[in-house]
Each structure stands twice: as C-alpha cells, then as structure tokens.
Amino acid sequence: ESKLNIRLDSDKINVYEALRKHMSSLRGIQGLVKGSCTITGTVLKPAYNGTATLAPFRYRGFLLPMVDATFDGTMTKFHLSNATAKLREGSITGKALLQKKNDGWYSDLNITGSEVDLKQFGAYLPEGFRERLGGHTSFTVSGNGRLDKFEGKGSVESRWLRFMGVQLKHLRAPFYIADGYAIMEDVNAEMNGGKLKGGAASDLTK
C-alpha cells in the first residue's frame, strides 16, 4: 500500500463551501482560510496535521476577525489542539475534538474567554445596538455530544457591562445548552444600586 507524504498550502479557501459538501453538520462555520497541511499515512488510512488562520471566522451570528489554529486528524477524527482569537483586548482560546461514529459526528468542545472587550463584537452589529454595548466579559463553554444534539454548559461573568443601554455590575450568569437552546436560569447582577435576578433563553438554530 502506497505511503503518503504530501504538503498542501492554501490561501483564501471558502470554508463554508468545503464543509457544506463534505461535512454538512458543520456548515454553520464560515470564513476564508489560509494555512498549510501535511498528509501522511497511506492511501486507505491518511492522516494530516497543520496550521491555519481563518479571517474572518463566523459561526451563525458569532464573528471574530481572525483565528489562528493548530489541527490534526484522520478520515474519522478532527482534533483542534489550539485555537486563539486575535482581539484588541482580552483573549479567547479553545480546543475541540470531532469523531465520526456509526450514527454521525460527535464533538467535545472547550472555550475560554478572558476580559473580552464587548466592542470587539459590537463592530459587526447594527449601529443603534453598538452604541448601547460596552464593558468586558469573561466566559467558559464546555460540551459534547452528537453535533446536531450538542449539549454543554458554561458561565458568563463581568465586573461591568452595558447592554441595550442598561449598566450592570458584578454579573454572573451560568448557562446550559440543550435541544438547540442556550438557557440562563440564574442570572445575578447589580443595577442602579440594587440586585437583579432573572433568566433568558436563545434559539441557537436561528
């Protein structure tokens, strides 16, 4: 069986088109990728590893201007060992493992954000919304499961932020993800010298 030793370099490849055809469950990911990849193994059992930069990186309504990533995998596994977003302030890092099983692709995901400037995201929002958004936030997200039935949990924290014109201090908002929704049930914050408690839900399929 022939052994492989191939190096590929890419520039401005449309990620959405590639995933839409070959991994439709990941078609929500969009962006242009530049990077390099080395393919080894054999024709029947190839393996690969490399580095890539997505600019921009978009997943549904979430957008980052640039993400650097290191990856490796096979025909049935994709391992993102390190992904780092380039931000003006704060940091976002993550890692992920995708594995193909008999009934589809399964994921294991971990993301951490530290003191991220909300204006970083606000630059891509409507002007009226952007003017009422500010502050910094830290967050964690972890989860696993089949891609179309992903379940996870995490938390959002902020010492101060402004959302829709409302100023909040010492925000703590744990959440979980299930059945296509992100749900916050125990949001706590300070507002205008008082205490604020509540909950919220967001449909991730839209």
Side-chain angles (χ1 to χ4, degrees):
E1 188 175 356
S2 300
K3 292 186 176 181
L4 301 174
N5 188 4
I6 303 171
R7 178 184 170 87
L8 301 174
D9 294 304
S10 64
D11 188 18
K12 296 183 178 180
I13 290 180
N14 189 318
V15 173
Y16 173 78
E17 290 297 327
L19 294 177
R20 181 177 66 85
K21 295 177 181 179
H22 305 293
M23 295 178 68
S24 59
S25 57
L26 296 178
R27 62 181 179 271
I29 298 176
Q30 301 178 43
L32 299 177
V33 63
K34 177 180 180 180
S36 62
C37 178
T38 300
I39 303 173
T40 57
T42 65
V43 173
L44 296 179
K45 294 183 178 181
Y48 57 86
N49 66 84
T51 60
T53 297
L54 287 96
F57 169 83
R58 181 189 296 273
Y59 182 72
R60 301 189 187 278
F62 181 75
L63 187 146
L64 294 170
M66 184 177 293
V67 175
D68 291 329
T70 302
F71 62 89
D72 62 84
T74 66
M75 294 297 290
T76 58
K77 181 181 73 172
F78 176 77
H79 180 214
L80 189 67
S81 56
N82 181 48
T84 303
K86 292 185 176 180
L87 303 174
R88 183 174 60 249
E89 293 183 35
S91 65
I92 299 177
T93 59
K95 57 183 180 180
L97 176 64
L98 302 178
Q99 296 187 83
K100 187 176 184 180
K101 299 182 180 180
N102 292 334
D103 59 342
W105 284 86
Y106 284 74
S107 64
D108 193 332
L109 174 70
N110 289 275
I111 301 174
T112 300
S114 177
E115 291 297 315
V116 177
D117 182 2
L118 290 177
K119 290 290 187 182
Q120 178 76 60
F121 306 115
Y124 309 100
L125 297 172
E127 183 176 353
F129 190 96
R130 183 170 66 245
E131 292 175 349
R132 296 180 289 173
L133 182 68
H136 294 74
T137 183
S138 298
F139 59 87
T140 61
V141 182
S142 62
N144 53 52
R146 208 169 76 178
L147 284 178
D148 58 350
K149 295 182 179 180
F150 179 84
E151 295 186 354
K153 62 181 180 179
S155 65
V156 178
E157 298 184 2
S158 176
R159 290 174 292 179
W160 177 90
L161 65 81
R162 182 174 65 250
F163 179 71
M164 298 297 287
V166 178
Q167 295 186 19
L168 301 174
K169 296 181 179 179
H170 305 299
L171 171 71
R172 293 180 58 87
F175 65 88
Y176 66 91
I177 301 170
D179 299 323
Y181 286 85
I183 301 171
M184 296 180 177
E185 291 186 326
D186 190 22
V187 179
N188 287 271
E190 296 178 7
M191 183 177 69
N192 297 330
K195 302 289 185 179
L196 175 69
K197 293 186 177 182
S202 176
D203 188 348
L204 299 178
T205 64
K206 294 182 179 180

